Amino acid sequence: AHARVQQEEGKESLAMQLRAAAAARSGQVAPRRYAAPVGRRLAVFEGKKVVELFSGSARLARSIAQHGIDCEAWDIIDGPDADLLALSNRKRLLRDMRRGRVVFIWMGFPCTNWSMARRFT
């Protein structure tokens, strides 16, 4: 069982490295940002955003953006700029919250056996 856990952690680590490398090549900035389509933007949320923490695939953030609200998806798999253990990232997120830019925060939970968060449970 221990060998299987190590193998799964290795897969996750490799996946994280590949995703971070792909993001760097594409110029993508972490956290991932999803803008609402221009014709579907909800005026009441202009200048505001929803934040999905521990987002994994960020399906919720993408879906909310499609319904008219800008979103950010934060997850360690996107690299160090989306790592919530880093004080600078937490400060950036808290600053946006204090300025009233964040209207809703969704915190995901480990949903797969190989999630990095399961290592700490």
Side-chain angles (χ1 to χ4, degrees):
H2 181 67
R4 191 181 85 205
V5 169
Q6 285 181 325
Q7 182 183 20
E8 288 175 353
E9 286 177 354
K11 286 179 188 175
E12 179 177 329
S13 176
L14 177 61
M16 184 173 98
Q17 291 170 9
L18 291 172
R19 189 168 182 174
R25 282 193 308 275
S26 71
Q28 179 183 358
V29 178
R32 288 174 279 168
R33 291 179 174 87
Y34 298 96
V38 175
R40 298 190 72 175
R41 288 185 169 275
L42 298 175
V44 70
F45 291 108
E46 195 63 40
K48 312 268 187 212
K49 63 186 169 188
V50 169
V51 173
E52 183 181 6
L53 302 178
F54 316 113
S55 61
S57 65
R59 279 186 249 178
L60 180 67
R62 287 193 315 264
S63 179
I64 289 173
Q66 288 299 311
H67 285 87
I69 306 169
D70 292 341
C71 294
E72 283 186 357
W74 291 70
D75 199 294
I76 184 67
I77 61 176
D78 294 318
D81 289 338
D83 182 358
L84 290 171
L85 293 177
L87 180 61
S88 61
N89 293 337
R90 290 194 311 269
K91 283 183 177 181
R92 182 171 42 157
L93 183 58
L94 287 170
R95 183 184 63 235
D96 283 350
M97 291 167 61
R98 287 186 184 114
R99 291 179 178 171
R101 294 181 183 153
V102 178
V103 294
F104 181 77
I105 296 177
W106 175 266
M107 294 172 50
F109 51 89
C111 61
T112 61
N113 288 335
W114 56 88
S115 172
M116 288 181 78
R118 290 210 184 255
R119 231 179 282 173
F120 303 108
T121 58

